[in-house]
Each structure stands twice: as structure tokens, then as C-alpha cells.
Amino acid sequence: MSDRPSTPDVLAELGRAPIPVEEPDVTEARRGRVVSQLARSIRESKATRERARRQRIAVSVLAVAALLALFIGGLWRGAGTPHTESVASVRASSSGVLVTHGAESSVAQVNTELSLASGDGVSTVADAHAALRLASGAEVKISASTRVTLSAATAGDEQLELSTGEIAVQVPHLGEHGSFRVQTPDLRVVVHGTAFVVRVSKRSEGVGTLTEVTVTEGKVSVERQGATRFLTKGQSFRSDADESKSTKNDVAPRPTAEAAPPSADTSPSAEAAGKTTAPVKPASPVTAPTKAAINDPSALAEQNRLFGAAAAARRKGDDATALGHLNQLLSRYPNSPLAPEARVERFRALARSGKQSEAAQEARRYLLEHRGGAAEEEARGVALTPGGSSKPK
């Protein structure tokens, strides 16, 4: 057997042995190292937490700054809009006015101002009217059955697109750099401070549109098919005028007093005095203008001038002057393309003036000459007024 003690014996001997006492200086040195290491660990942990805190603060500050930048940028763009885009508004004077903004449409409340932006459209149904005002101070009266779009509304540059119907425009002086235009399907009207009427309707043959421009004040330029024509007060232009037969500024002058036919008193003063106006009789075959003469560019311009002048007088409430222009148009150009509308306007003006008998007579003539016309129902109502027969012959 071996004399070496077993493991349990050795462990038991170690357990009975006294624990050696460490020297104080050794203990102090070890304590110093432990404390120093703990302090260093504490400092490193604190520094790590401080860096993490600063990083979180920095991220939060950057996020808030980004949000502020977006918010301030939005405010700046919003505040800057009035300086780069004109403010326009529309006011419906009767029901039946529709305002379109993109894919959305809304019905304008009567006598309520509604803001418009570039690209917005305004439509009126029959018997509905509205007034449009732009930042330049331009005022636009929108007639019934009209469609107009505000296609440009930036500072110093405004444009309306008239698809169909009639607008009466009053534009103040715009200055050297100001521009106001009306675009129709077949021409463009450019103005710099004037009043004028633009009307778009279907052609008589049913294909395409016809634009009529009548200037009541100032001066406009009409641009069509690469040519420019200038119109001044009292002048008119139709887009179906034969350009090849007219010069650049070939617009008929105002008619003289001698141009009125002697068969009837057609002056505004006669109407204002309440004199009975003789019914307009068709011109005899000998004196009636030929079709070629009626369609001559200067004749067409004169017909439009007379009709436009009558429309302008009607808008001002001057039915006597309107009747004077309509009488001249119907007597000088009985076969004019504008004759049906002129007769409608004439019996309306007579009815407004209290001349019910003459209005009924004119309405019956309209029914005889233009059966199936757009104003047939209205004419029947006027023709049935007291003082006339109950049925048109």
C-alpha cells in the first residue's frame, strides 16, 4: 500500500489548518485596486448613458426641426400664393350656377361670394346668371347657358376660356406688363383696358362654333389663324368672316343717320317718346340685299355691331336704344343669320317697355318665320297677351 494520504484526509487537514492573516499593507493595496476599478467602471457607465442621452436629444431636436421646416414651408407657400396667383371669385345672381374644381362640382349659393382658383370652371343653365371678378379688377358678367374656365390667374396674366355662351367683360387699365385674354374655340381676344362682349354659338350648319366679338369701349386685338385684327369702340368681328376679302382692319364704320330706312321711325328717341313703331316689313325683292351682300365681311361686321350694341343697351336697362339698334338690323338685313335672335330680343324689349300689343305682334312674326325656333314657347306666351289674336296665323 502507498504511504501517501488520501484526498479526503488532505482536505480534512486543510480544513483544520488556521487561516493565515494578511498583512495590512497588502489588504490596503488590494482594496485600492478594487475601488479604483469600480470607480472607473462607474465613470464609463455614466459616460455611456450620457452619450446615449445626448444622441436621443439630438434625434429629437432633428425631428422637431424637420417638422418645423415642413410647417414653416407650408405657411410660406400659403402666404406666397396671393403674390403669385390672382384671387378670383364668382357670385351667382340666380340659381343654376355650377362651379367646377378639378373632378368636384358644387352649386353656387345665390348672392354668395365663392373663391376660384386657376383651372376652375363656371357654368350657367338657362335663365341663370353670375358675375366673375378677378384680382386685376376685371369684371365679367356671365350670361345664361354659358361655360367659362379661369385657365390662367397669375399676377399680370389672366385668361378666360369661353366654350359656349356669352360674357360681357369690363377690364381696367392693366399697365405696361398686364395681360388679359379671352380664348374661344376659334380665336383669341387680347385687351389692355376696355369693355367688350364675346359670344360663342354653334354655326348655322351645325358643325363647329362661331365667335362674335363686339367692343363697347377701348380697343382689343383679335387673333385668328395667324392674323391679328384690331377693333375699337362700336366695331365687331365674327370668326366666319372671309379673311381673304378683307384687309387687316376691315371693319365697317358706324352707320350714319341717313342709313335708317324712311319707312319707320327707328331712332331711340322715338321709342323713348312712346311712339308706336310700325311693324318691320320684309324688304321688296328689288331692294332686298342678296345673300352674297349679306354674307360680305363688312355687312357681317355691321350686323354684329348692331346686335352687339343692342345687347349692350339691354344690359344697361336702356330698352329704347336697344330697340333702335334692333330695328336697324332687321330693316337693313331681314335675312341676316342674326334675324331670329334679333326678333326675340325685339319682342322682349317691347314687352319690358310696356308695349304688349307690339310685342305680341313681333312674337307672332317670329313664330311664322322661325317655326321650331329655340324661343318658340316664350314667343307663344308673348303672342297670347291681350291686344292680339289668340293664335298666330
Side-chain angles (χ1 to χ4, degrees):
M1 294 182 64
S2 174
D3 294 334
R4 296 180 60 184
S6 62
T7 300
D9 295 337
V10 172
L11 291 175
E13 184 66 23
L14 288 174
R16 291 190 294 269
I19 298 175
V21 178
E22 189 176 55
E23 294 296 331
D25 54 347
V26 174
T27 301
E28 188 64 26
R30 185 172 65 253
R31 183 183 296 112
R33 290 195 300 271
V34 172
V35 171
S36 177
Q37 185 175 359
L38 287 173
R40 184 168 60 253
S41 298
I42 292 172
R43 288 195 300 271
E44 291 176 353
S45 177
K46 185 177 180 181
T48 301
R49 290 196 302 272
E50 184 65 20
R51 285 196 298 270
R53 188 181 69 84
R54 287 198 296 268
Q55 289 176 351
R56 289 194 299 271
I57 293 174
V59 170
S60 299
V61 170
L62 290 175
V64 172
L67 291 174
L68 285 175
L70 291 174
F71 179 72
I72 294 173
L75 288 179
W76 181 82
R77 286 192 296 272
T81 298
H83 300 286
T84 58
E85 182 176 357
S86 296
V87 177
S89 62
V90 62
R91 177 185 292 270
S93 55
S94 57
S95 59
V97 178
L98 186 68
V99 177
T100 304
H101 178 72
E104 300 179 356
S105 298
S106 59
V107 178
Q109 299 296 321
V110 178
N111 294 327
T112 300
E113 204 83 16
L114 185 62
S115 297
L116 296 179
S118 179
D120 288 356
V122 178
S123 302
T124 57
V125 299
D127 299 328
H129 298 79
L132 180 65
R133 184 174 180 83
L134 288 83
S136 63
E139 297 181 353
V140 182
K141 294 182 179 179
I142 305 175
S143 299
S145 303
T146 297
R147 165 69 179 176
V148 64
T149 302
L150 181 62
S151 56
T154 57
D157 182 23
E158 297 172 332
Q159 176 171 301
L160 298 177
E161 291 187 8
L162 179 62
S163 304
T164 185
E166 178 182 306
I167 57 174
V169 186
Q170 179 78 46
V171 184
H173 184 66
L174 300 177
E176 182 179 356
H177 303 292
S179 175
F180 185 96
R181 306 177 303 279
V182 175
Q183 180 71 54
T184 73
D186 49 4
L187 58 81
R188 174 182 292 181
V189 183
V190 182
V191 301
H192 299 282
T194 185
F196 62 102
V197 177
V198 183
R199 184 182 184 208
V200 176
S201 58
K202 291 184 178 180
R203 291 180 179 269
S204 57
E205 58 271 22
V207 180
T209 57
L210 170 67
T211 299
E212 306 169 55
V213 182
T214 302
V215 180
T216 55
E217 294 178 16
K219 179 180 180 182
V220 305
S221 62
V222 178
E223 301 173 0
R224 178 174 180 266
Q225 297 179 347
T228 300
R229 171 188 297 257
F230 291 93
L231 305 177
T232 56
K233 181 178 180 180
Q235 295 181 330
S236 303
F237 175 77
R238 282 168 57 113
S239 58
D240 63 349
D242 188 353
E243 298 290 344
S244 63
K245 295 182 181 180
S246 59
T247 61
K248 185 175 182 181
N249 292 304
D250 182 21
V251 182
R254 284 179 169 271
T256 60
E258 290 76 15
S263 59
D265 186 358
T266 59
S267 64
S269 59
E271 294 290 344
K275 295 182 180 179
T276 301
T277 305
V280 179
K281 298 180 180 180
S284 64
V286 177
T287 59
T290 64
K291 184 176 181 181
I294 291 176
N295 292 328
D296 180 79
S298 60
L300 289 172
E302 177 62 8
Q303 294 167 45
N304 278 276
R305 188 198 69 76
L306 290 170
F307 190 84
R314 168 177 56 81
R315 283 189 293 273
K316 294 179 180 179
D318 188 355
D319 288 319
T321 299
L323 283 167
H325 293 303
L326 292 170
N327 290 340
Q328 289 190 50
L329 172 60
L330 290 169
S331 59
R332 295 172 59 189
Y333 306 100
N335 299 319
S336 168
L338 294 174
E341 294 175 312
R343 294 213 174 276
V344 173
E345 292 299 327
R346 189 172 188 276
F347 72 63
R348 287 173 177 171
L350 288 169
R352 287 193 301 267
S353 301
K355 302 176 182 179
Q356 301 300 334
S357 178
E358 294 177 53
Q361 187 175 8
E362 185 68 15
R364 290 194 294 272
R365 179 163 187 171
Y366 172 83
L367 291 171
L368 285 171
E369 296 181 356
H370 308 288
R371 293 188 181 276
E376 184 175 15
E377 291 301 320
E378 180 183 358
R380 289 186 184 277
V382 175
L384 294 175
T385 56
S389 60
S390 60
K391 291 185 180 180
K393 296 180 181 180

